[in-house]
Amino acid sequence: MATKRVAICAVAQHKNEPDLWYRRFQNMLLDVLEDLQEKTGFTYGENGVEMIVSTSDDFFDARTISNNGVTDVIGGQYLAEEKMAQEGLNAIGYANSIILSGHKDLVLIMGHCKESQGESRNMITNCGFDPFYGRATGLDYLNAAGLQAQAYMRKSSLTDDQLAEIVVRSRQWAAKNPYANAREAVPAGKVKASPMLCDPIRQLHAYPVSDGAVGLLLASEERAKEFTDKPVWITGFANCMDTFFFGDRDLTSNFALKKATANACRRAGIQDLKKAADVVEVMDCYAYQQPMWMEGLGFCGDGEGGRFVAEGGPGKYRVNLSGGTLAGNPLIISGLYRAAEATLQLQGGAGDRQVPDAKCAVAHSTNGPAGQFHSVLILEA
Amino acid sequence: MKKHEKNRNVAIIGIGQTTLSSHKEDQNQVEMVAEAVRNVLADANMTLDDIDCIVHGNMELFEMQFQPDMWHALGCGSYGKEEYRITTGGTVGATLVCASDSLVASGQYDTVLCLGFEKLQEGNTTGGITNMADPLWFRNLQTGALTSTTATEMIKEFGKDRVLRAAMKYRIMMDKHAMLNERAHRRLGLEYDQLETLMETSPQLVGELRLIHMCSQSDGACAMILTHEDRVKKGTAKPPVWIRDHETSHRGENMSNLYGAQKPKSTHRDCAERLFKRNGITNPLEYFDVFEMYDPSAYWGLDWLREFLLLKDDAVLKLMEAGEFDLDGKLPVNPSGGVIASNPIGATAMLRPAEAALQIRGDAGGHQIKKEVRHALASGFGGTLWTVMLMLEKELNW
């Protein structure tokens, strides 16, 4: 009979770096894999891992069928290997379903992305717009975020000072995270004086270009104890898609995130996420997104992101103690880093960042231009 | 090997395809996927309100559209819904069905719509495939999916005349099937008495591989709706087709290893052995009533039949020569005309279980097999010789 719940047994992270020009992504994955095998002792094949969900992107890897370049390195020889071609947090949602379905009882998740390999991230995300309208006008995910930031800051009274405060705090926490990319402290003045990328987004409001890789081992309830004595249970996962054309959307509404949150909470049996969560990891590619996504997750009321920051919400709700995406994770696997940090917190393995007695954690990720798509993962110790 | 036990049984209750063509110039990508989605909803007599989750896939670099599911949100109906985008190269269409099966069986989603598409006209397919290889070592040697190696190996094994005839017979058989399928892209009207002429006149690509042997480059999309047993019991517009099991076998990227002095075990045979063993199938040739196989070329079609069906020696050639893969043969192969006739890559591997399911429903129209189809096999191919296989059943009785 199929399992009732699924555990994350262990996570392994490659340190995020601005430009690992001397390492191929295969090398990075191999380090992560060996780390994960050391932690859990898992093997491949019958009674071991028979199913791998990889996460990578054809554009960032500049190769068609990007998982083809890593199938052997992640142990996929003559096994089932599939690629999550969305943001990596969805790989955890998918793997959760595979194990709940009874099809496989162990799933290995291996994600990688080297943003440094492309000449510009914006060149890639420009190709995310439809070739007739958006792409032709030069829209990319940064531009899209700029438009959203303008609208959201007006709606929520979020100030430039608060954006700087969010970045300063991110760096303070990143300094305690050995896997973070941007770990050096920055004063608020430097953030506010950093070059304007796309009004109101300044260079230090934007996540730095990063190379990274993450691995996780998931198991059915019955098998989790073979690999860990600190299983972290997946109790709720959901995602949601908003519409594509900006004219069809209210960029400040958090439509997709609110719906994904409601569905994840329903599956986890949680009434009030704000009360339940001990740790929250959100994918904040740009500083304005941290309060905006917290609003979408229900930690403050509609349009209250400015007040949320002013009242110390990020500290109170222990938001992004990893440093968050602002401290540097690649776009495609930022959600896997969020989940990795959440797992470490619930396992008591988060070092200097550890929240005492953390029982419930939320990991969030977003995909597409201006938060078109959101994913929410709820984990419990 | 442990028996495969699903949390709950899953059936295909809707099948939708677009027409398949070299140029669907009257549609953009969104409009094309919408055609498949409209068709599958009509087939299942459902609306988007009945769908919990969309599963989307293709190969991004063929159309140069980064994360195309974002733009396609309107066309595939994912607005306000949960959505996954899962890709595996050529196998992607079959993987999307496997993924949807898992999502429904998990109990997390009740009714899932999966969608595979490709608009190859909008990109450079061979350029895209060449990009598959490592940029440092293999890219300049990579020649896409095109290979005559299998022809050479088979000729060495069975003799030139016999292999060339069997491969061309396979090609003509596929065209005869495609002629019966009004949705198929290439319908040439080939006859068996043209066999020797075609062996001489079709342009040579590499060695004995000729243009006529190769699959087409098509635009098109395929969509399917899957739901669980309890929902099926409430009644469905068309007969349900049950997904009994599925399996995937992938392998590493190094093409040179595939053709080294010692030929490694094929993923097709590996996958088939695992799938059949788990389901107690000892003689696939006897068990299955139809096989929709991803056959990118006539030589690969012929060679892979022996791998999938676990045949020995020259059994596959004997079966081919005796017409046992025809529509009235022992195991009809690709009544739809297969991949040689129509190949919108991201949809191609979904068209295999879709066509197999139509045969089980008795809904295949002109290319319906005359005898009853109760057990169907479907396969996908992609990457560096990757395999996905699905077993479909008419009855929920295994």
Side-chain angles (χ1 to χ4, degrees), chain A residues 7 9 219-231 233:
Chain A
C9 299
S220 64
E221 183 165 14
E222 293 73 21
R223 297 208 57 187
K225 54 186 173 295
E226 295 171 40
F227 307 100
T228 181
D229 50 11
K230 288 174 187 165
W233 305 106

Side-chain angles (χ1 to χ4, degrees), chain A residues 24 64 77-78 86 103 135, chain B residues 65 83 128 134 250 252 265:
Chain A
R24 302 175 74 208
T64 304
Q77 293 291 73
Y78 295 101
Q86 270 169 339
H103 190 59
R135 195 183 299 176
Chain B
Q65 180 73 24
E83 195 249 10
D134 182 297
H250 281 182
K265 184 182 189 181

Side-chain angles (χ1 to χ4, degrees), chain B residues 184-328:
Chain B
H185 165 189
R186 287 196 304 175
R187 305 161 80 207
L188 304 174
L190 302 177
E191 293 296 340
Y192 286 114
D193 61 14
Q194 289 175 278
L195 190 140
E196 286 178 4
T197 319
L198 287 170
M199 280 164 60
E200 294 291 324
T201 58
S202 174
Q204 226 170 350
L205 295 177
V206 183
E208 287 301 337
L209 184 77
R210 292 174 183 271
L211 191 60
I212 194 75
H213 290 129
M214 283 305 292
C215 57
S216 62
Q217 178 177 310
S218 316
D219 288 1
C222 181
M224 290 164 90
I225 295 174
L226 281 69
T227 197
H228 58 98
E229 192 177 344
D230 290 344
R231 172 68 186 79
V232 170
K233 281 180 185 158
K234 289 181 185 163
T236 53
K238 300 281 172 67
V241 175
W242 300 97
I243 298 181
R244 176 163 168 177
D245 200 358
H246 52 84
E247 192 49 80
T248 298
S249 184
H250 281 182
R251 46 157 298 135
E253 69 165 334
N254 194 331
M255 294 295 271
S256 56
N257 282 350
L258 297 176
Y259 302 116
Q262 204 164 16
K263 198 179 173 184
K265 184 182 189 181
S266 83
T267 54
H268 299 332
R269 192 171 284 265
D270 176 70
C271 193
E273 281 175 357
R274 281 215 302 271
L275 185 68
F276 296 157
K277 189 176 173 192
R278 192 159 70 206
N279 290 282
I281 310 291
T282 49
N283 188 346
L285 194 62
E286 293 293 335
Y287 182 78
F288 292 104
D289 302 312
V290 66
F291 181 18
E292 272 285 341
M293 175 176 63
Y294 196 129
D295 56 343
S297 86
Y299 287 104
W300 273 357
L302 199 55
D303 184 48
W304 293 357
L305 275 173
R306 61 173 167 167
E307 299 296 316
F308 283 122
L309 302 175
L310 311 178
L311 299 173
K312 288 191 180 123
D313 305 322
D314 67 345
V316 73
L317 292 180
K318 283 181 180 155
L319 288 162
M320 186 68 223
E321 286 155 359
E324 299 291 9
F325 301 128
D326 284 338
L327 292 190
D328 56 355

Side-chain angles (χ1 to χ4, degrees), chain A residues 28 113 237:
Chain A
M28 299 166 67
C113 184
F237 174 83

Side-chain angles (χ1 to χ4, degrees), chain A residues 11-28:
Chain A
V11 298
Q13 306 174 65
H14 194 288
K15 185 188 178 311
N16 287 277
E17 294 281 358
D19 184 9
L20 281 167
W21 58 270
Y22 50 89
R23 302 209 81 193
R24 302 175 74 208
F25 47 72
Q26 288 93 338
N27 298 116
M28 299 166 67

